Amino acid sequence: MSICRKLKSVPGAITDFRKQLSAVINTINLDKGTSVTLTAENIGEVKSKLKDAGDAAEEAARKVAAFKVQMEALGHQKSVVQRSLNGLVDSGVSESESQRVASLVEQYRLWAVSVETVRASKEATSDEYRLSLEAEGAAILENINRIYAERQAAEEAAAAEAAAARSAEAANKERWRHSMRLSLLIKRLALTLTRIPALMVPSLNNLS
């Protein structure tokens, strides 16, 4: 690239370029009798080819960088979805969840194959396809999280029901204790009332 910058339409620049080219020829052991003749057309062709090579290298570097960025994003998403799905399965699947979880496992398998196919291609895919992959992964994760949320809601409902049952049981016990105390009080009152006539008889005899 430094040679290209020195190429100007002046004799000095051409002479300098010939010296450099001759030095290159000497390093690859060409016969000393070999001569190189450069014309303005030759120089233009060299500059054009060097520019094309530079553009190609730049484009290749851009594609590699784009592929790396894509796979970092897709790879991270794949790991998140996989961990969440594994956690869902490992935590135990109820009979009511089994069909939905089995469907999610199959959806994830097919989606993961698509992600790894992009990785194996070593080339960045189109933005449209990348976005569709990301949307598919997000949908799988959303469905996994929905099952988690339903589990949590069911657990909270069961806990609330159990708390209400304990509260009702405590209230029933308190009512029973209150009923027993009232019953005992009534019995004592009845016993007292039955003794009143007997207590009054001696008093009447004394009056007579």
Side-chain angles (χ1 to χ4, degrees):
M1 297 297 291
S2 61
I3 295 176
C4 290
R5 287 195 295 268
K6 292 181 179 180
L7 290 178
K8 307 293 182 181
S9 58
V10 293
I14 295 176
T15 300
D16 183 55
F17 180 72
R18 282 178 172 172
K19 288 180 180 179
Q20 293 185 50
L21 187 58
S22 295
V24 172
I25 291 172
N26 289 334
T27 61
I28 58 177
N29 299 320
L30 291 178
D31 293 338
K32 291 184 178 180
T34 302
S35 61
V36 177
T37 301
L38 292 177
T39 64
E41 182 180 355
N42 296 144
I43 295 172
E45 184 179 354
V46 170
K47 290 176 65 178
S48 177
K49 287 182 178 180
L50 288 174
K51 183 179 183 304
D52 290 344
D55 292 344
E58 184 177 347
E59 178 64 14
R62 188 196 65 78
K63 288 183 178 180
V64 170
F67 171 74
K68 181 179 179 181
V69 170
Q70 277 192 2
M71 288 316 305
E72 283 178 352
L74 288 172
H76 175 70
Q77 186 182 30
K78 179 171 174 284
S79 297
V80 170
V81 176
Q82 183 179 33
R83 283 197 303 269
S84 185
L85 182 59
N86 287 344
L88 183 68
V89 173
D90 294 343
S91 61
V93 179
S94 67
E95 184 177 353
S96 62
E97 296 172 345
S98 60
Q99 187 173 356
R100 293 168 63 192
V101 173
S103 176
L104 284 172
V105 169
E106 179 63 12
Q107 289 175 38
Y108 170 77
R109 186 188 68 81
L110 295 175
W111 176 72
V113 168
S114 297
V115 172
E116 292 307 315
T117 299
V118 174
R119 190 192 304 277
S121 72
K122 303 295 183 182
E123 292 183 359
T125 186
S126 67
D127 288 341
E128 182 180 1
Y129 185 62
R130 174 184 58 80
L131 289 173
S132 70
L133 282 178
E134 291 178 351
E136 185 178 353
I140 295 172
L141 184 60
E142 182 180 356
N143 287 328
I144 293 171
N145 290 336
R146 183 175 292 113
I147 294 178
Y148 274 123
E150 290 172 359
R151 283 184 179 181
Q152 183 176 356
E155 291 172 0
E156 291 175 354
E161 184 178 352
R166 289 193 298 269
S167 178
E169 183 180 2
N172 289 335
K173 287 182 178 180
E174 182 60 28
R175 282 194 296 269
W176 179 83
R177 285 192 294 267
H178 178 73
S179 176
M180 291 300 294
R181 287 195 297 268
L182 182 60
S183 176
L184 181 60
L185 181 60
I186 292 172
K187 287 180 180 179
R188 287 178 179 176
L189 180 59
L191 181 61
T192 301
L193 292 174
T194 58
R195 289 179 177 178
I196 288 177
L199 293 173
M200 292 178 66
V201 170
S203 299
L204 294 174
N205 291 334
N206 291 334
L207 290 175
S208 59

